Amino acid sequence: MSSLNRRWSWTDWGNRTLRLCDAHEEWESGWERIFNRITGKSFARARKRVRDLTLEQCVEDFNDMKRRMTGKWESPPSEAICRLGGLA
């Protein structure tokens, strides 16, 4: 996360912590192209992999991430997040 531009629109570094967009509104049209251009081929491939996940793969990945990377997790359950992302 340290490589993100702290002044970029969806990064909120309040209280010295990072909060990402909660995606409760519509995404900007063409955001995928912008993301791919800015982040490069490796992250573009990862974005496409996430786009193609099944609900079960998404939930498993979220649960694995929570176990490995988070000290504090304040969000809806993994299943709800994945369903909000359009997976059924």
Side-chain angles (χ1 to χ4, degrees):
M1 294 300 178
S2 62
S3 64
L4 294 175
N5 182 337
R6 290 178 183 236
R7 291 174 292 283
W8 201 37
S9 64
W10 57 269
T11 55
D12 178 4
W13 290 84
N15 298 325
R16 299 177 59 148
T17 61
L18 175 66
R19 291 178 46 208
L20 297 178
C21 172
D22 65 10
H24 69 280
E25 295 181 15
E26 292 294 319
W27 287 62
E28 178 179 351
S29 177
W31 72 266
E32 298 97 334
R33 182 177 28 79
I34 296 167
F35 179 92
N36 294 348
R37 187 182 76 239
I38 291 172
T39 63
K41 291 180 182 180
S42 177
F43 286 107
R45 279 192 302 273
R47 182 193 61 76
K48 290 173 186 175
R49 186 186 74 78
V50 169
R51 175 196 63 198
D52 296 337
L53 285 175
T54 65
L55 176 63
E56 292 79 18
Q57 290 170 313
C58 179
V59 170
E60 184 178 320
D61 285 355
F62 257 106
N63 291 336
D64 183 48
M65 178 185 64
K66 288 191 315 188
R67 280 190 298 276
R68 292 184 300 130
M69 301 180 69
T70 58
K72 185 176 182 181
W73 185 262
E74 294 182 19
S75 74
S78 300
E79 294 85 359
I81 294 171
C82 292
R83 283 194 175 95
L84 286 171
L87 299 175

PDB file of all heavy atoms in Angstrom, residues 20-39:
ATOM      1  N   LEU A  20      -9.924   1.907   1.825  1.00  0.00           N
ATOM      2  CA  LEU A  20     -10.203   1.861   0.394  1.00  0.00           C
ATOM      3  C   LEU A  20     -11.664   2.194   0.132  1.00  0.00           C
ATOM      4  O   LEU A  20     -12.499   2.123   1.021  1.00  0.00           O
ATOM      5  CB  LEU A  20      -9.888   0.476  -0.161  1.00  0.00           C
ATOM      6  CG  LEU A  20      -8.433   0.056  -0.051  1.00  0.00           C
ATOM      7  CD1 LEU A  20      -8.266  -1.359  -0.607  1.00  0.00           C
ATOM      8  CD2 LEU A  20      -7.520   1.007  -0.778  1.00  0.00           C
ATOM      9  N   CYS A  21     -11.958   2.512  -1.102  1.00  0.00           N
ATOM     10  CA  CYS A  21     -13.321   2.816  -1.521  1.00  0.00           C
ATOM     11  C   CYS A  21     -14.259   1.691  -1.109  1.00  0.00           C
ATOM     12  O   CYS A  21     -13.949   0.518  -1.269  1.00  0.00           O
ATOM     13  CB  CYS A  21     -13.330   2.976  -3.034  1.00  0.00           C
ATOM     14  SG  CYS A  21     -14.966   3.133  -3.734  1.00  0.00           S
ATOM     15  N   ASP A  22     -15.409   2.052  -0.587  1.00  0.00           N
ATOM     16  CA  ASP A  22     -16.371   1.021  -0.192  1.00  0.00           C
ATOM     17  C   ASP A  22     -17.281   0.596  -1.340  1.00  0.00           C
ATOM     18  O   ASP A  22     -18.102  -0.299  -1.191  1.00  0.00           O
ATOM     19  CB  ASP A  22     -17.196   1.469   1.003  1.00  0.00           C
ATOM     20  CG  ASP A  22     -18.081   2.670   0.700  1.00  0.00           C
ATOM     21  OD1 ASP A  22     -18.214   3.060  -0.481  1.00  0.00           O
ATOM     22  OD2 ASP A  22     -18.638   3.202   1.655  1.00  0.00           O
ATOM     23  N   ALA A  23     -17.133   1.212  -2.491  1.00  0.00           N
ATOM     24  CA  ALA A  23     -17.816   0.828  -3.733  1.00  0.00           C
ATOM     25  C   ALA A  23     -19.336   0.783  -3.594  1.00  0.00           C
ATOM     26  O   ALA A  23     -19.993  -0.023  -4.218  1.00  0.00           O
ATOM     27  CB  ALA A  23     -17.282  -0.515  -4.233  1.00  0.00           C
ATOM     28  N   HIS A  24     -19.901   1.670  -2.787  1.00  0.00           N
ATOM     29  CA  HIS A  24     -21.347   1.659  -2.625  1.00  0.00           C
ATOM     30  C   HIS A  24     -22.076   2.413  -3.731  1.00  0.00           C
ATOM     31  O   HIS A  24     -23.286   2.346  -3.822  1.00  0.00           O
ATOM     32  CB  HIS A  24     -21.750   2.191  -1.244  1.00  0.00           C
ATOM     33  CG  HIS A  24     -21.511   3.655  -1.064  1.00  0.00           C
ATOM     34  ND1 HIS A  24     -20.271   4.163  -0.764  1.00  0.00           N
ATOM     35  CD2 HIS A  24     -22.335   4.704  -1.156  1.00  0.00           C
ATOM     36  CE1 HIS A  24     -20.362   5.477  -0.673  1.00  0.00           C
ATOM     37  NE2 HIS A  24     -21.587   5.828  -0.895  1.00  0.00           N
ATOM     38  N   GLU A  25     -21.363   3.113  -4.555  1.00  0.00           N
ATOM     39  CA  GLU A  25     -21.962   3.815  -5.683  1.00  0.00           C
ATOM     40  C   GLU A  25     -21.416   3.230  -6.980  1.00  0.00           C
ATOM     41  O   GLU A  25     -20.580   2.335  -6.969  1.00  0.00           O
ATOM     42  CB  GLU A  25     -21.641   5.307  -5.594  1.00  0.00           C
ATOM     43  CG  GLU A  25     -22.279   5.973  -4.382  1.00  0.00           C
ATOM     44  CD  GLU A  25     -21.984   7.457  -4.312  1.00  0.00           C
ATOM     45  OE1 GLU A  25     -21.538   8.030  -5.325  1.00  0.00           O
ATOM     46  OE2 GLU A  25     -22.195   8.039  -3.255  1.00  0.00           O
ATOM     47  N   GLU A  26     -21.889   3.750  -8.105  1.00  0.00           N
ATOM     48  CA  GLU A  26     -21.433   3.278  -9.408  1.00  0.00           C
ATOM     49  C   GLU A  26     -19.942   3.562  -9.598  1.00  0.00           C
ATOM     50  O   GLU A  26     -19.435   4.579  -9.141  1.00  0.00           O
ATOM     51  CB  GLU A  26     -22.218   3.961 -10.530  1.00  0.00           C
ATOM     52  CG  GLU A  26     -23.666   3.554 -10.593  1.00  0.00           C
ATOM     53  CD  GLU A  26     -23.840   2.094 -10.965  1.00  0.00           C
ATOM     54  OE1 GLU A  26     -23.115   1.607 -11.848  1.00  0.00           O
ATOM     55  OE2 GLU A  26     -24.692   1.435 -10.345  1.00  0.00           O
ATOM     56  N   TRP A  27     -19.266   2.642 -10.283  1.00  0.00           N
ATOM     57  CA  TRP A  27     -17.853   2.831 -10.602  1.00  0.00           C
ATOM     58  C   TRP A  27     -17.750   3.716 -11.841  1.00  0.00           C
ATOM     59  O   TRP A  27     -18.633   3.727 -12.701  1.00  0.00           O
ATOM     60  CB  TRP A  27     -17.206   1.485 -10.870  1.00  0.00           C
ATOM     61  CG  TRP A  27     -17.004   0.697  -9.621  1.00  0.00           C
ATOM     62  CD1 TRP A  27     -17.977   0.246  -8.776  1.00  0.00           C
ATOM     63  CD2 TRP A  27     -15.774   0.279  -9.068  1.00  0.00           C
ATOM     64  NE1 TRP A  27     -17.415  -0.433  -7.725  1.00  0.00           N
ATOM     65  CE2 TRP A  27     -16.068  -0.437  -7.881  1.00  0.00           C
ATOM     66  CE3 TRP A  27     -14.451   0.430  -9.448  1.00  0.00           C
ATOM     67  CZ2 TRP A  27     -15.075  -0.993  -7.092  1.00  0.00           C
ATOM     68  CZ3 TRP A  27     -13.472  -0.136  -8.657  1.00  0.00           C
ATOM     69  CH2 TRP A  27     -13.786  -0.823  -7.501  1.00  0.00           C
ATOM     70  N   GLU A  28     -16.656   4.435 -11.931  1.00  0.00           N
ATOM     71  CA  GLU A  28     -16.412   5.287 -13.092  1.00  0.00           C
ATOM     72  C   GLU A  28     -16.352   4.427 -14.351  1.00  0.00           C
ATOM     73  O   GLU A  28     -15.727   3.369 -14.365  1.00  0.00           O
ATOM     74  CB  GLU A  28     -15.092   6.024 -12.901  1.00  0.00           C
ATOM     75  CG  GLU A  28     -14.708   6.908 -14.051  1.00  0.00           C
ATOM     76  CD  GLU A  28     -13.400   7.636 -13.808  1.00  0.00           C
ATOM     77  OE1 GLU A  28     -12.872   7.584 -12.702  1.00  0.00           O
ATOM     78  OE2 GLU A  28     -12.915   8.250 -14.772  1.00  0.00           O
ATOM     79  N   SER A  29     -16.991   4.870 -15.403  1.00  0.00           N
ATOM     80  CA  SER A  29     -16.951   4.149 -16.669  1.00  0.00           C
ATOM     81  C   SER A  29     -15.508   4.060 -17.162  1.00  0.00           C
ATOM     82  O   SER A  29     -14.784   5.056 -17.159  1.00  0.00           O
ATOM     83  CB  SER A  29     -17.817   4.873 -17.701  1.00  0.00           C
ATOM     84  OG  SER A  29     -17.742   4.228 -18.932  1.00  0.00           O
ATOM     85  N   GLY A  30     -15.098   2.872 -17.566  1.00  0.00           N
ATOM     86  CA  GLY A  30     -13.745   2.688 -18.082  1.00  0.00           C
ATOM     87  C   GLY A  30     -12.674   2.536 -17.023  1.00  0.00           C
ATOM     88  O   GLY A  30     -11.486   2.601 -17.323  1.00  0.00           O
ATOM     89  N   TRP A  31     -13.047   2.312 -15.750  1.00  0.00           N
ATOM     90  CA  TRP A  31     -12.058   2.240 -14.674  1.00  0.00           C
ATOM     91  C   TRP A  31     -11.067   1.104 -14.897  1.00  0.00           C
ATOM     92  O   TRP A  31      -9.899   1.218 -14.505  1.00  0.00           O
ATOM     93  CB  TRP A  31     -12.736   2.106 -13.312  1.00  0.00           C
ATOM     94  CG  TRP A  31     -13.352   0.762 -13.055  1.00  0.00           C
ATOM     95  CD1 TRP A  31     -14.637   0.394 -13.284  1.00  0.00           C
ATOM     96  CD2 TRP A  31     -12.699  -0.392 -12.516  1.00  0.00           C
ATOM     97  NE1 TRP A  31     -14.828  -0.919 -12.934  1.00  0.00           N
ATOM     98  CE2 TRP A  31     -13.650  -1.418 -12.456  1.00  0.00           C
ATOM     99  CE3 TRP A  31     -11.400  -0.654 -12.084  1.00  0.00           C
ATOM    100  CZ2 TRP A  31     -13.346  -2.694 -11.985  1.00  0.00           C
ATOM    101  CZ3 TRP A  31     -11.098  -1.923 -11.604  1.00  0.00           C
ATOM    102  CH2 TRP A  31     -12.068  -2.930 -11.567  1.00  0.00           C
ATOM    103  N   GLU A  32     -11.506   0.017 -15.545  1.00  0.00           N
ATOM    104  CA  GLU A  32     -10.605  -1.109 -15.766  1.00  0.00           C
ATOM    105  C   GLU A  32      -9.398  -0.702 -16.618  1.00  0.00           C
ATOM    106  O   GLU A  32      -8.264  -1.059 -16.328  1.00  0.00           O
ATOM    107  CB  GLU A  32     -11.332  -2.277 -16.447  1.00  0.00           C
ATOM    108  CG  GLU A  32     -12.458  -2.851 -15.632  1.00  0.00           C
ATOM    109  CD  GLU A  32     -13.815  -2.302 -16.020  1.00  0.00           C
ATOM    110  OE1 GLU A  32     -13.886  -1.164 -16.537  1.00  0.00           O
ATOM    111  OE2 GLU A  32     -14.812  -3.018 -15.786  1.00  0.00           O
ATOM    112  N   ARG A  33      -9.663   0.044 -17.681  1.00  0.00           N
ATOM    113  CA  ARG A  33      -8.596   0.513 -18.567  1.00  0.00           C
ATOM    114  C   ARG A  33      -7.632   1.419 -17.815  1.00  0.00           C
ATOM    115  O   ARG A  33      -6.408   1.303 -17.951  1.00  0.00           O
ATOM    116  CB  ARG A  33      -9.217   1.255 -19.760  1.00  0.00           C
ATOM    117  CG  ARG A  33      -8.230   1.745 -20.776  1.00  0.00           C
ATOM    118  CD  ARG A  33      -8.915   2.420 -21.975  1.00  0.00           C
ATOM    119  NE  ARG A  33     -10.203   3.039 -21.725  1.00  0.00           N
ATOM    120  CZ  ARG A  33     -10.396   4.234 -21.160  1.00  0.00           C
ATOM    121  NH1 ARG A  33      -9.362   4.942 -20.766  1.00  0.00           N
ATOM    122  NH2 ARG A  33     -11.600   4.726 -20.986  1.00  0.00           N
ATOM    123  N   ILE A  34      -8.178   2.311 -16.993  1.00  0.00           N
ATOM    124  CA  ILE A  34      -7.341   3.212 -16.199  1.00  0.00           C
ATOM    125  C   ILE A  34      -6.488   2.403 -15.219  1.00  0.00           C
ATOM    126  O   ILE A  34      -5.279   2.609 -15.095  1.00  0.00           O
ATOM    127  CB  ILE A  34      -8.213   4.238 -15.443  1.00  0.00           C
ATOM    128  CG1 ILE A  34      -8.947   5.140 -16.438  1.00  0.00           C
ATOM    129  CG2 ILE A  34      -7.376   5.056 -14.467  1.00  0.00           C
ATOM    130  CD1 ILE A  34     -10.062   5.960 -15.826  1.00  0.00           C
ATOM    131  N   PHE A  35      -7.108   1.459 -14.521  1.00  0.00           N
ATOM    132  CA  PHE A  35      -6.395   0.605 -13.575  1.00  0.00           C
ATOM    133  C   PHE A  35      -5.263  -0.141 -14.267  1.00  0.00           C
ATOM    134  O   PHE A  35      -4.125  -0.157 -13.788  1.00  0.00           O
ATOM    135  CB  PHE A  35      -7.377  -0.392 -12.940  1.00  0.00           C
ATOM    136  CG  PHE A  35      -6.745  -1.330 -11.967  1.00  0.00           C
ATOM    137  CD1 PHE A  35      -6.697  -1.014 -10.621  1.00  0.00           C
ATOM    138  CD2 PHE A  35      -6.199  -2.535 -12.387  1.00  0.00           C
ATOM    139  CE1 PHE A  35      -6.109  -1.876  -9.709  1.00  0.00           C
ATOM    140  CE2 PHE A  35      -5.611  -3.409 -11.490  1.00  0.00           C
ATOM    141  CZ  PHE A  35      -5.565  -3.075 -10.142  1.00  0.00           C
ATOM    142  N   ASN A  36      -5.560  -0.775 -15.394  1.00  0.00           N
ATOM    143  CA  ASN A  36      -4.544  -1.545 -16.112  1.00  0.00           C
ATOM    144  C   ASN A  36      -3.372  -0.679 -16.539  1.00  0.00           C
ATOM    145  O   ASN A  36      -2.209  -1.096 -16.438  1.00  0.00           O
ATOM    146  CB  ASN A  36      -5.157  -2.224 -17.339  1.00  0.00           C
ATOM    147  CG  ASN A  36      -6.173  -3.281 -16.970  1.00  0.00           C
ATOM    148  OD1 ASN A  36      -6.306  -3.693 -15.831  1.00  0.00           O
ATOM    149  ND2 ASN A  36      -6.920  -3.720 -17.967  1.00  0.00           N
ATOM    150  N   ARG A  37      -3.658   0.512 -17.025  1.00  0.00           N
ATOM    151  CA  ARG A  37      -2.603   1.414 -17.484  1.00  0.00           C
ATOM    152  C   ARG A  37      -1.716   1.867 -16.327  1.00  0.00           C
ATOM    153  O   ARG A  37      -0.495   1.881 -16.444  1.00  0.00           O
ATOM    154  CB  ARG A  37      -3.219   2.633 -18.185  1.00  0.00           C
ATOM    155  CG  ARG A  37      -2.169   3.526 -18.835  1.00  0.00           C
ATOM    156  CD  ARG A  37      -2.779   4.764 -19.479  1.00  0.00           C
ATOM    157  NE  ARG A  37      -3.126   5.723 -18.436  1.00  0.00           N
ATOM    158  CZ  ARG A  37      -4.344   6.197 -18.210  1.00  0.00           C
ATOM    159  NH1 ARG A  37      -5.355   5.837 -18.958  1.00  0.00           N
ATOM    160  NH2 ARG A  37      -4.568   7.054 -17.253  1.00  0.00           N
ATOM    161  N   ILE A  38      -2.318   2.193 -15.210  1.00  0.00           N
ATOM    162  CA  ILE A  38      -1.560   2.735 -14.082  1.00  0.00           C
ATOM    163  C   ILE A  38      -0.772   1.650 -13.351  1.00  0.00           C
ATOM    164  O   ILE A  38       0.368   1.859 -12.966  1.00  0.00           O
ATOM    165  CB  ILE A  38      -2.501   3.478 -13.111  1.00  0.00           C
ATOM    166  CG1 ILE A  38      -3.015   4.750 -13.787  1.00  0.00           C
ATOM    167  CG2 ILE A  38      -1.811   3.804 -11.797  1.00  0.00           C
ATOM    168  CD1 ILE A  38      -4.094   5.466 -13.019  1.00  0.00           C
ATOM    169  N   THR A  39      -1.375   0.484 -13.170  1.00  0.00           N
ATOM    170  CA  THR A  39      -0.736  -0.538 -12.338  1.00  0.00           C
ATOM    171  C   THR A  39       0.181  -1.476 -13.095  1.00  0.00           C
ATOM    172  O   THR A  39       1.044  -2.095 -12.499  1.00  0.00           O
ATOM    173  CB  THR A  39      -1.789  -1.381 -11.610  1.00  0.00           C
ATOM    174  OG1 THR A  39      -2.590  -2.069 -12.571  1.00  0.00           O
ATOM    175  CG2 THR A  39      -2.649  -0.509 -10.709  1.00  0.00           C
TER     176      THR A  39
END
